[in-house]
Amino acid sequence: MVKLYLDPGHGGSDPGAQGNGLNEKDITLDIALRIRTILLNDYENVEVRMSRTSDTAKSLSARTNEANSWGADYYLSIHCNAFNGSAQGYEDYIHSSLSDSSLTANYQNIIHAEIIKENELVDRGKKKANFHVLRESAMPALLTENGFIDNGRDAALMKNAAWRQKVAQGHANGVAKTFKLQKKPDNSGTIYKVIAGSFKSRENAEERVSYLDTKGIEAFVDSRNISGEVWYRVQAGAFSTRENAEKRLVEVKNAGIDDAFIAAEKRDSNEAGGYSIAGRTFLSPEQMNQFAKSINPNTPELGHFYLTFGQDYGIRGDIAFAQALHETNFFRFTGVVKPEQNNFCGLGATGPDNPGASFQTPSEGVLAHFQHLFAYASTEQLPDKYPLIDPRFNLVTRGSAPTWTALNGKWAVPGTNYGEAILNIYERMVEFALVKLEGILQEIRT
């Protein structure tokens, strides 16, 4: 197992270099989070711990002490540069005491070459310096300077999310090549979906889902546009092998659904990755709340908590909100968990005799939700901005579910379609937001 300590430079009250409306601390964090996602999603036998996953301050000594105590195999520090507006390009550093034939220099050679392939920046070369993180880290260490934030050309690239993804990919490629990481098995092949009915009416589809639930079969509604018409398919499982799909099909037909069938489809990129749990929240609190209220007008306004804690923990707050909608039946609390528990994600709820955890306020309930997601998605130390209130945090196998679909069978048991059901709600949220936006634009135009 390779242990990478990933250090986004600066943070909190220390913005780092500034220029062209950008702060170094924001660029470095974004790139580092992308590096982590690529490595954890695409490679086997790698652990990643980050010095920070949100806009928090951390001293240099705290960073190197943490990496040393953890026993990291490699220290990778992400930075941006600044000079006088005229300098531009990429460079990286190892400690000045090291020879060109050292192991650290060899690692630098490999990673430098991979980053330069991707980053579209002028190559300023491989360098040495007496930086703290290079001097005080007990393992090989590299500090990368990804462009000059006060240079117009470099800054224009930094503002582009696609460029930051390419930079992250270059770093990840370099780490993978350096430590000979093995790619995870390709999940881009065929997926076998068990379809338990297709309806013109969403209400009829929801009735079918409810019926299957009484038979102990998890299902959800998936809308499809076919020949210009919207159809609502009831999906009762998605499997990577046809054999497992056939077993589920038998269960569905034994439940009385004679028209059930298997649809063999090519996985798309979202299904293959299941969306990373870590990442940026795209929908606003208003968009989350409005979608929920369109289904249940009595929905509590929790969107701002899901945005705030999502930013603090580096987790997709809008998809976490969709998970809360799934768990609470759009805050109608029709299961064993009751509204007064402020338990929006079903923490610890296993049945009528055990309705799960309770929290004093809605804010604490949402915070516990994010801490539990963090436990599944990350192997890093929990950020210390808030106290640990998730009573089941230490029961989770850390880092065992970096994507939403990886929660299947973990957050919910048997949970065959748990992640897919959450993502289906999220995609409906996005569609709802886009329709609302289009309506506003129409009003503006008229």
Side-chain angles (χ1 to χ4, degrees):
M1 179 68 71
V2 175
K3 299 169 72 173
L4 172 69
Y5 190 83
L6 187 56
D7 175 28
H10 308 282
S13 58
D14 174 16
Q18 296 176 299
N20 294 290
L22 298 172
N23 292 319
E24 180 183 2
K25 66 176 183 177
D26 300 323
I27 303 301
T28 61
L29 178 60
D30 184 83
I31 291 172
L33 288 170
R34 292 170 187 270
I35 294 170
R36 180 183 68 173
T37 297
I38 294 168
L39 289 173
L40 294 181
N41 284 355
D42 294 354
Y43 293 95
E44 297 179 333
N45 299 319
V46 59
E47 289 184 52
V48 179
R49 178 172 291 186
M50 293 179 63
S51 60
R52 63 184 183 96
T53 57
S54 59
D55 186 20
T56 55
K58 195 168 194 173
S59 69
L60 294 176
S61 58
R63 299 176 195 230
T64 50
N65 288 344
E66 187 174 73
N68 294 340
S69 298
W70 184 45
D73 297 302
Y74 197 57
Y75 192 112
L76 181 58
S77 191
I78 312 300
H79 286 260
C80 300
N81 230 326
F83 184 55
N84 61 4
S86 62
Q88 60 179 299
Y90 169 83
E91 59 195 27
D92 48 43
Y93 292 84
I94 61 174
H95 192 254
S96 52
S97 66
L98 297 168
S99 72
D100 292 343
S101 59
S102 65
L103 178 64
T104 301
N106 182 46
Y107 288 172
Q108 180 185 27
N109 292 339
I110 296 170
I111 296 175
H112 183 98
E114 293 301 318
I115 293 173
I116 285 297
K117 289 178 185 177
E118 300 287 343
N119 68 6
E120 304 173 32
L121 293 173
V122 173
D123 185 357
R124 296 172 58 88
K126 295 167 285 186
K127 301 183 179 182
K128 299 178 183 179
N130 188 29
F131 297 139
H132 174 97
V133 296
L134 303 178
R135 182 182 65 249
E136 302 300 328
S137 50
M139 69 293 302
L142 181 72
L143 185 147
T144 67
E145 294 278 9
N146 298 276
F148 283 74
I149 203 166
D150 58 350
N151 176 271
R153 180 188 179 277
D154 285 5
L157 290 173
M158 292 179 194
K159 293 177 181 179
N160 189 326
W163 178 83
R164 299 194 299 272
Q165 183 67 26
K166 291 179 70 175
V167 171
Q169 188 67 61
H171 282 73
N173 292 347
V175 171
K177 189 171 182 179
T178 296
F179 293 99
K180 298 179 173 58
L181 299 179
Q182 298 298 309
K183 281 268 194 179
K184 288 183 177 179
D186 183 12
N187 290 323
S188 60
T190 301
I191 185 170
Y192 300 93
K193 299 180 179 181
V194 178
I195 308 302
S198 188
F199 305 88
K200 290 295 295 292
S201 162
R202 175 177 279 277
E203 183 179 354
N204 291 341
E206 296 285 2
E207 288 179 3
R208 176 63 57 86
V209 169
S210 298
Y211 171 75
L212 288 170
D213 184 60
T214 65
K215 301 296 182 179
I217 299 172
E218 283 191 276
F220 67 94
V221 178
D222 178 27
S223 61
R224 291 296 177 96
N225 193 307
I226 302 174
S227 300
E229 293 186 302
V230 177
W231 287 81
Y232 300 96
R233 298 197 318 183
V234 176
Q235 185 174 313
F239 304 88
S240 58
T241 66
R242 189 172 189 95
E243 179 182 3
N244 289 336
E246 295 281 3
K247 291 177 182 177
R248 173 54 56 85
L249 182 63
V250 170
E251 294 175 11
V252 172
K253 289 195 171 185
N254 286 343
I257 312 299
D258 295 328
D259 59 346
F261 65 95
I262 293 174
E265 300 178 2
K266 200 75 172 175
R267 288 183 189 261
D268 63 26
S269 58
N270 286 339
E271 287 177 312
Y275 286 94
S276 173
I277 290 176
R280 174 187 167 196
T281 300
F282 289 96
L283 296 180
S284 70
E286 293 76 16
Q287 289 170 324
M288 297 183 222
N289 293 333
Q290 286 175 2
F291 171 74
K293 287 179 180 290
S294 72
I295 295 170
N296 174 17
N298 297 318
T299 290
E301 295 200 353
L302 301 178
H304 62 291
F305 292 133
Y306 278 89
L307 174 66
T308 300
F309 291 133
Q311 292 172 334
D312 291 337
Y313 284 92
I315 285 173
R316 291 291 306 272
D318 42 11
I319 303 185
F321 186 81
Q323 183 182 23
L325 294 178
H326 175 68
E327 286 282 351
T328 63
N329 190 14
F330 289 82
F331 298 109
R332 290 184 285 234
F333 294 95
T334 53
V336 298
V337 179
K338 301 306 175 188
E340 58 270 19
Q341 291 177 244
N342 293 313
N343 183 352
F344 307 115
C345 65
L347 266 176
T350 58
D353 297 329
N354 184 14
S358 294
F359 303 96
Q360 291 186 356
T361 65
S363 176
E364 286 192 359
V366 178
L367 175 59
H369 184 179
F370 276 92
Q371 290 178 343
H372 207 60
L373 282 170
F374 189 88
Y376 272 112
S378 173
T379 59
E380 299 165 22
Q381 183 177 342
L382 190 70
D384 56 9
K385 184 172 183 178
Y386 307 101
L388 175 62
I389 61 172
D390 169 18
R392 301 182 64 81
F393 184 88
N394 293 317
L395 301 179
V396 172
T397 301
R398 298 299 310 283
S400 59
T403 66
W404 296 95
T405 52
L407 293 174
N408 292 358
K410 296 184 178 74
W411 197 291
V413 178
T416 307
N417 287 308
Y418 184 74
E420 289 87 348
I422 293 168
L423 294 176
N424 178 261
I425 292 174
Y426 173 68
E427 287 165 1
R428 288 166 57 193
M429 288 170 61
V430 172
E431 183 179 350
F432 179 87
L434 290 173
V435 169
K436 282 280 189 182
L437 179 60
E438 180 60 29
I440 293 171
L441 290 174
Q442 288 285 5
E443 287 185 16
I444 293 173
R445 293 188 191 108
T446 56

